[in-house]
């Protein structure tokens, strides 16, 4: 084996320039493939993170039928069985209760439809760091009657400032009138304009009082320690809860987002496919030349007693070495760049940023450092290199020694 | 008992419109320690005969018996093992492995045989010293002259102490001085190691050194002359 490896390694460098050119093509392919995939995954992660943190959670528990008819009448009172189930499941890091509905927000001559969310302050802050998004005033404490938080877009539209009063008017539980006036305790700014323009937060008991739905919730959003284990947690909750509750995962609640990701992902895979084809031809060309120029050498080796299997191993070593050197050098170079862009995402500006915001996505391009990106791209390039070795293997198995020696 | 026994060997190439009969019923025997030259005009079948004896090609009919075993009946793997353990090859174009040094080229076959390191080192040092190549052991073939490369090729062929060595026009690319040196070295090793040497050649100097000359024409043996007794028979 050592002899085979030595021969393979030296064969690689007998034509240094050609090997370096091939290595460069594998290197570039690995760098591009990992970078493309990393940004795709990073952006998807950001999109999913936004949806999960600011909206649904990874899993949501609500009253059966609520998702199709999101009305204040489809609320529920969390019973002890639900609370016990949430405590029992180890994968649940946070269960965030919410009461959500719509109302008209009015101030002087200005009126706007808004989404009112009653929140448990500490839990909500743990979920989406809403306290950190307060730009004026202060976040909630656990006290009833403390006021309201509104987005800076809404404040601007309604020409409100800290301490002003906002009137909310809507329909409460089972047709009651929901009306209240609240001093503006804080103004927040989220990365998503959509939220800034149409969202108001109330302390949960205040919201329940506004909508005449004491102790009732529209949903409990659940955050997970291990998002990859979402299925087992969902199953556990479904088994633990009675049929009046519904347990849904984030993809079912964010279908358009999932479709968008799938579409974009398919485009990315096609791009990678083209890139891989270019690499495949480059590697195949080199392996082909390395085979054709060494036909006689192969014949001599077999003639003096080397088994064809051994020669096959040498050729595979040569190909794998080209692949591995390209993969390792490419990965080592791109990793620190991606690590930096993971911590300091590219901030999108202009029309691109607006498009992102229209879709409710934070306009940033973070890089993902998911190790599987490196692993899969590495394995794919290695696979391509190994496929390129098929012709030499076919040739080694078939060539006739005497005939080749004569050439 | 002969080292090699060839019976009714024929080889016909059907790759052109007209079949070419490269070997046409050859019957020969080679004894241990022979130093034999196979001569004849180009295309008479010298190389084809050597290829058949070395298990590099399959005959159309007939047999090549080496120590009671007909190698024409062996499968590809068995033939490779046979060549590894019993045959040494010397080619006209030297055909050393370019990425290995002189020492590594000679070690190569013994490493394929999984021999222990000490045996390999002793044998390789002995042969390279005998060939006058001891100061070039770490040099790659491209830095050697043709004569030096062929001396390394002879050492490679002898390294595993094969039963016989097949040398296909080994001096064709060498100048007269290199040829003389090489032939003297081969003759010495033939005597010392009692290995059978079989050459195909056009070179008169090789013929002058040979103790038996077989002449082929149109794939047939037209003469087989034993000029001098082998050293074994002299000693006995």
């Amino acid at each position: 084996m050592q002899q085979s490896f030595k021969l393979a390694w030296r064969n690689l460098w007998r034509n240094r320039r050609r090997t370096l050119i091939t290595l460069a093509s594998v290197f570039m392919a690995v760098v591009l493939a990992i970078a493309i995939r990393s940004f795709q995954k990073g952006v998807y992660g950001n999109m999913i993170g936004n949806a999960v943190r600011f909206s649904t959670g990874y899993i949501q528990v609500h009253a059966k039928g609520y998702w199709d008819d999101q009305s204040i009448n489809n609320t529920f009172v969390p019973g002890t069985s639900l609370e016990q189930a949430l405590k029992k499941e180890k994968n649940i890091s946070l269960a965030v209760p919410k009461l959500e509905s719509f109302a008209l927000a009015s101030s002087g001559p200005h009126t706007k439809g808004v989404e009112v969310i009653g929140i448990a302050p500490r839990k909500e802050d743990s979920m989406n760091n809403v306290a950190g998004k307060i730009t004026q005033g202060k976040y909630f404490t656990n006290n009833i009657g403390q006021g309201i938080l509104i987005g800076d877009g809404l404040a601007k539209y309604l020409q409100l400032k800290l301490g002003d009063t906002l009137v909310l008017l809507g329909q409460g539980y089972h047709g009651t009138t929901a009306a209240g006036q609240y001093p503006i305790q804080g103004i927040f700014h989220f990365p998503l304009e959509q939220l800034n323009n149409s969202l108001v937060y109330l302390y949960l008991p205040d919201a329940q009082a506004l909508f005449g739905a004491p102790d009732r919730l529209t949903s409990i959003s659940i955050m997970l320690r291990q998002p990859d284990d979402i299925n087992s947690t969902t199953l556990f909750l479904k088994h633990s809860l009675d049929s009046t509750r519904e347990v849904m995962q984030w993809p079912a609640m964010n279908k358009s987002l999932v479709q968008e990701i799938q579409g974009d992902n398919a485009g990315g895979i096609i791009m990678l496919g083209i890139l891989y084809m270019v690499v495949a031809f480059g590697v195949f060309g080199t392996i082909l030349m390395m085979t054709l120029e060494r036909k006689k050498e192969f014949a001599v080796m077999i003639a003096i007693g080397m088994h064809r299997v051994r020669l096959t191993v040498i050729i595979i070593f040569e190909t794998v070495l080209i692949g591995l050197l390209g993969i390792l050098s490419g990965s080592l170079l791109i990793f620190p760049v991606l690590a930096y862009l993971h911590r300091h995402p590219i901030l999108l500006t202009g029309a691109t940023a607006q498009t992102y915001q229209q879709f409710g996505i934070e306009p940033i391009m973070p890089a993902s450092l998911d190790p599987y990106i490196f692993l899969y791209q590495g394995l794919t390039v290695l696979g391509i290199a190994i496929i390129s070795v098929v012709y030499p293997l076919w040739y080694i198995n078939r060539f006739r020694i005497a005939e080749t020696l004569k050439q | 008992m002969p080292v090699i026994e060839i019976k009714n060997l024929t080889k016909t190439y059907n790759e052109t419109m007209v079949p070419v009969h490269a070997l046409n019923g050859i019957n020969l025997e080679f004894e241990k320690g022979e130093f034999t030259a196979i001569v004849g005009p180009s295309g008479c079948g010298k190389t084809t005969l050597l290829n058949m004896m070395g298990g590099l090609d399959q005959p159309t009919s007939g047999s090549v018996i080496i120590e009671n075993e007909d190698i024409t009946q062996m499968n590809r793997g068995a033939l490779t093992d046979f060549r590894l353990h019993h045959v040494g090859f010397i080619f006209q174009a030297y055909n050393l492995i370019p990425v290995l040094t002189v020492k590594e080229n000679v070690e190569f076959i013994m490493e394929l045989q999984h021999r222990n390191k000490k045996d390999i080192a002793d044998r390789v040092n002995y042969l390279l010293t005998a060939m006058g190549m001891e100061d070039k052991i770490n040099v790659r073939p491209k830095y050697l002259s043709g004569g030096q490369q062929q001396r390394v090729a002879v050492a490679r062929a002898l390294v595993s102490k094969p039963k016989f060595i097949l040398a296909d026009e080994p001096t064709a690319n060498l100048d007269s001085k290199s040829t003389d040196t090489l032939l003297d070295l081969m003759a010495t090793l033939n005597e010392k190691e009692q290995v059978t040497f079989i050459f195909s050649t056009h070179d008169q100097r090789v013929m002058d050194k040979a103790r038996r000359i077989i002449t082929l024409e149109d794939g047939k043996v037209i003469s087989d002359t034993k000029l001098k007794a082998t050293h074994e028979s002299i000693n006995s």
Side-chain angles (χ1 to χ4, degrees), chain A residues 88-354:
Chain A
K88 203 172 169 187
E89 172 56 40
K90 297 275 187 290
N91 192 30
I92 295 174
S93 62
L94 198 62
V96 184
K98 285 180 185 179
L99 181 71
E100 295 180 50
S101 191
F102 295 92
L104 277 175
S106 178
S107 171
H110 304 290
T111 304
K112 194 170 196 290
V114 294
E115 185 180 2
V116 181
I117 305 182
I119 57 171
R122 277 187 202 146
K123 289 181 176 176
E124 188 72 23
D125 186 43
S126 298
M127 186 171 170
N128 54 28
N129 187 28
V130 60
K133 304 289 190 293
I134 301 288
T135 54
Q136 294 176 54
K138 58 182 182 177
Y139 188 54
F140 290 141
T141 55
N142 284 337
N143 293 316
I144 292 173
Q146 58 194 308
I148 194 166
L149 305 177
I150 66 171
D152 55 1
L154 183 65
K156 192 177 172 189
Y157 181 81
L158 295 177
Q159 296 177 358
L160 291 168
K161 58 184 187 302
L162 217 57
D164 288 349
T165 298
L166 179 69
V167 175
L168 292 178
L169 185 65
Q171 186 181 323
Y173 185 56
H174 283 174
T176 59
T177 300
Q181 56 179 21
Y182 303 92
I184 293 168
Q185 172 172 326
I187 295 173
F188 57 79
H189 177 80
F190 282 137
L192 309 179
E193 288 305 315
Q194 200 180 330
L195 301 182
N196 296 329
N197 293 338
S198 62
L199 190 63
V200 300
Y201 283 121
L202 281 173
Y203 179 42
L204 181 59
D206 287 344
Q208 287 167 333
L210 170 68
F211 292 110
D215 300 327
R216 302 192 76 83
L217 303 174
T218 47
S219 65
I220 295 179
S221 296
I222 292 167
M223 299 300 279
L224 302 176
R225 288 191 173 84
Q226 297 293 333
D228 289 343
D229 294 337
I230 189 169
N231 286 337
S232 60
T233 306
T234 307
L235 206 63
F236 171 80
L237 289 173
K238 278 184 176 171
H239 284 306
S240 306
L241 303 178
D242 62 45
S243 60
T244 62
R245 303 280 184 270
E246 193 169 47
V247 181
M248 286 179 81
Q249 295 183 348
W250 71 265
M253 296 181 284
N254 296 279
K255 283 181 179 160
S256 60
L257 174 67
V258 172
Q259 281 168 357
E260 197 182 323
I261 289 174
Q262 283 172 341
D264 189 77
N265 192 36
I269 288 170
I270 290 169
M271 281 282 291
L272 287 179
I274 294 167
L275 192 65
Y276 288 145
M277 277 179 69
V278 174
V279 178
F281 279 112
V283 174
F284 178 71
T286 300
I287 300 295
L288 187 66
M289 280 190 279
M290 285 173 78
T291 306
L292 294 178
E293 74 184 11
R294 287 192 294 164
K295 279 182 173 180
K296 196 163 183 181
E297 197 176 307
F298 290 166
V300 170
M301 285 175 157
I302 304 291
I304 63 177
M306 179 183 264
H307 280 274
R308 289 178 197 242
V309 174
R310 187 93 179 252
L311 193 51
T312 302
V313 169
I314 293 173
I315 302 298
I316 291 174
F317 273 165
E318 287 173 14
T319 316
V320 168
L321 278 171
I322 289 182
L324 279 182
L325 285 173
I327 291 163
L328 286 176
S329 54
S331 302
L332 286 175
L333 181 102
I334 196 68
F335 181 80
V337 178
L338 293 178
Y340 178 81
L341 292 172
H342 176 71
R343 282 177 163 274
H344 309 280
I346 297 168
L347 297 172
L348 300 173
T349 53
T352 315
Q354 281 175 359

Side-chain angles (χ1 to χ4, degrees), chain B residues 52-85:
Chain B
M52 300 295 158
M53 286 193 275
L56 297 179
D57 205 354
Q58 287 292 321
T60 306
S61 66
S63 51
V64 177
I65 295 163
I66 292 158
E67 290 194 335
N68 294 323
E69 199 166 0
D70 184 357
I71 66 164
T72 63
Q73 301 302 312
M74 287 179 176
N75 65 28
R76 206 162 72 172
L79 267 177
T80 306
D81 280 333
F82 159 77
R83 290 194 300 268
L84 177 63
H85 293 283

Side-chain angles (χ1 to χ4, degrees), chain B residues 105-122:
Chain B
N105 261 288
V106 182
E107 287 172 342
F108 188 72
I109 290 176
M110 287 184 86
E111 282 181 355
L112 287 178
Q113 291 176 332
H114 303 294
R115 304 274 282 273
N116 73 54
K117 283 188 176 174
K118 188 178 178 309
D119 283 355
I120 295 175
D122 291 347

